[in-house]
Amino acid sequence: MEEIRPPKRTIGVSAWLKENLFSTWYNTLLTLVALGCVYLLLKGILVWAFTDAKWGVIPANLQLFAIGAYPIAQVWRVWIVLYTVCALAGLSGGIWGGLTLRFAVGIGGVGVIIALLSMGIPTFGWATRGWILGAVVLLAVFLFLGSRSQSLFPKIRRWVLIGWLFSFPWTLIMLHGFGENVVLTTNWGGLLLTLILAAVGICFCFPLGVLLALGRRSSLPVVKWVSTAYIEIVRGVPLITILFMAQVVIPIFMPDNIRLDKVLRAMLGITLFSAAYMAENVRGGLQAIPRGQYEAAQAVGLNYPLTMLFIVLPQALRSVIPAIVGQFIALFKDTSLVTIVGLLDLLGIAKSVIANPDWLGLQAEVYIFVAVIYFVFSYSMSYVSQKVEEALGVGKNL
């Protein structure tokens, strides 16, 4: 019997262009008109970007954009945190492979690119390049160790997960310090503060949102009413209002001997605000679970906590991954609002730079640079979400 080869699923670049852009005379005409419009739109931007723009403001203030007013003498704390993340990312990539491996390789690639691009920047010293390349080397070493460790240490995965769990308090402790070398959170700024605020918001709003979603669907009236009231009240108030209330109201109810600084109050406000929206995303997933799943769990003797933990929540969360990641991306971008309450996050640093008499009139260059940073992080989260959805078969497998 003659063997029939499967049909081709991919075509070359020239074939794709011919099929999609130049298949007929009117498609060719529309393609040329569209290219002309794009050229007219981008011409002015490209001419300005390569001839008139003064990009020197970016490397001259790169340290401010990165860590804000964090003391130079204590910057080694930031590098220790970065090295910890690189070690855990390398181990994770070597152990699990797949998406985590690509994530680890991506971090290493970004480090190498930054080290190479910084060769022409006077403010980027050899010590900084050495720290960056050291982080890349450390990542590569732990990547290799991770790929070889599973046979020698069968429980290495559990320890790596515990390491990721403790990396968060470790980061806060290292950045804050002890004794005479304490770095107050009011000195945290730039991209460092933006990432800390986003990480705190994401890590704490997710479990709080799940509990609120379960509470809103609870059969206990008090739990249901309290959860519903919290969600609806918070969703009916803008984030900036929550941030102002966190700055003004929280100190009133705190004991006299306890004082929360601005950054901690902003973390609390962002977390409480995002948890309400997260609860509604999770509730949408819970409502999509058929009643038969609950009945099947009860039939095999599972109680409510075990039913939720092992049967309902895994399916519900899997179905709302796009909405959850969308909430995380929105939270990351919403951290820029803390500049209104006096914190110098990445956007706050940008405003302070363009207020400097040496850099007056360079708003476009500074804001484009900040926008690119926000885009890179937001797109990275979106890309990871797409790969997780593909791995879990979201939208394909029931």
Side-chain angles (χ1 to χ4, degrees):
M1 180 179 294
E2 182 181 359
E3 183 179 357
I4 301 176
R5 303 182 63 179
K8 287 186 177 180
R9 290 179 175 270
T10 59
I11 58 177
V13 175
S14 59
W16 185 91
L17 291 174
K18 183 177 180 180
E19 180 179 341
N20 293 277
L21 301 179
F22 303 101
S23 57
T24 60
W25 68 268
Y26 49 86
N27 276 342
T28 302
L29 180 62
L30 288 174
T31 300
L32 294 176
V33 171
L35 289 175
C37 293
V38 171
Y39 171 76
L40 291 176
L41 288 174
L42 294 181
K43 180 183 177 182
I45 298 175
L46 294 176
V47 169
W48 171 83
F50 289 102
T51 59
D52 298 333
K54 299 177 180 177
W55 296 109
V57 63
I58 305 303
N61 297 281
L62 204 54
Q63 181 178 313
L64 274 178
F65 285 117
I67 59 175
Y70 202 89
I72 300 299
Q74 303 295 324
V75 169
W76 60 271
R77 298 177 184 278
V78 181
W79 288 114
I80 294 297
V81 170
L82 181 62
Y83 274 46
T84 304
V85 172
C86 287
L88 288 172
L91 275 178
S92 303
I95 293 172
W96 281 282
L99 183 60
T100 54
L101 176 60
R102 276 183 281 178
F103 177 72
V105 173
I107 293 177
V110 170
V112 172
I113 291 173
I114 292 176
L116 293 176
L117 291 179
S118 65
M119 297 294 286
I121 301 177
T123 56
F124 225 89
W126 283 103
T128 305
R129 295 189 196 99
W131 278 106
I132 295 175
L133 293 177
V136 175
V137 172
L138 184 73
L139 188 146
V141 170
F142 275 87
L143 186 65
F144 174 78
L145 293 177
S147 63
R148 297 289 186 274
S149 61
Q150 295 186 73
S151 58
L152 299 176
F153 305 101
K155 295 182 180 179
I156 187 67
R157 295 190 177 200
R158 181 185 305 174
W159 287 108
V160 173
L161 290 176
I162 294 174
W164 277 114
L165 185 63
F166 281 95
S167 66
F168 185 68
W170 166 255
T171 298
L172 297 181
I173 292 172
M174 280 303 300
L175 293 177
H176 188 270
F178 293 100
E180 299 178 353
N181 295 323
V182 167
V183 180
L184 299 177
T185 53
T186 49
N187 290 328
W188 301 3
L191 182 61
L192 174 68
L193 179 60
T194 297
L195 294 179
I196 293 293
L197 290 174
V200 170
I202 290 172
C203 291
F204 287 97
C205 84
F206 179 72
L208 184 58
V210 172
L211 291 177
L212 286 170
L214 294 175
R216 186 164 188 173
R217 289 174 55 85
S218 174
S219 58
L220 299 175
V222 175
V223 175
K224 181 176 182 178
W225 293 341
V226 170
S227 300
T228 303
Y230 174 84
I231 293 171
E232 296 302 332
I233 290 174
V234 173
R235 292 179 70 211
V237 179
L239 174 57
I240 187 59
T241 306
I242 299 289
L243 290 175
F244 276 121
M245 290 180 65
Q247 299 296 327
V248 177
V249 177
I250 289 178
I252 298 176
F253 296 99
M254 298 296 293
D256 294 336
N257 57 346
I258 298 178
R259 178 177 174 80
L260 295 179
D261 61 27
K262 279 187 175 182
V263 174
L264 292 178
R265 280 177 271 169
M267 290 177 179
L268 187 61
I270 291 173
T271 301
L272 295 178
F273 180 82
S274 300
Y277 285 87
M278 184 61 63
E280 288 302 275
N281 290 333
V282 175
R283 188 170 69 89
L286 292 173
Q287 290 179 335
I289 304 302
R291 184 66 190 169
Q293 296 287 321
Y294 295 87
E295 295 172 351
Q298 293 173 355
V300 297
L302 297 181
N303 55 23
Y304 179 80
L306 294 179
T307 300
M308 287 296 165
L309 187 61
F310 295 112
I311 305 297
V312 177
L313 277 178
Q315 300 180 72
L317 296 177
R318 170 178 168 271
S319 64
V320 294
I321 286 177
I324 290 176
V325 175
Q327 178 64 33
F328 288 163
I329 293 174
L331 186 154
F332 174 70
K333 292 183 293 187
D334 285 345
T335 56
S336 60
L337 289 175
V338 298
T339 188
I340 300 177
V341 294
L343 297 178
L344 294 177
D345 72 321
L346 184 60
L347 187 62
I349 291 294
K351 294 176 69 176
S352 67
V353 168
I354 58 179
N356 188 326
D358 294 335
W359 310 111
L360 289 178
L362 301 181
Q363 292 91 339
E365 290 86 345
V366 172
Y367 284 132
I368 287 176
F369 174 71
V370 172
V372 168
I373 293 179
Y374 276 107
F375 171 77
V376 168
F377 280 94
S378 299
Y379 180 76
S380 299
M381 286 191 280
S382 177
Y383 177 79
V384 171
S385 168
Q386 293 173 22
K387 295 305 175 184
V388 172
E389 291 172 29
E390 291 177 5
L392 297 177
V394 177
K396 297 178 181 177
N397 303 324
L398 297 177

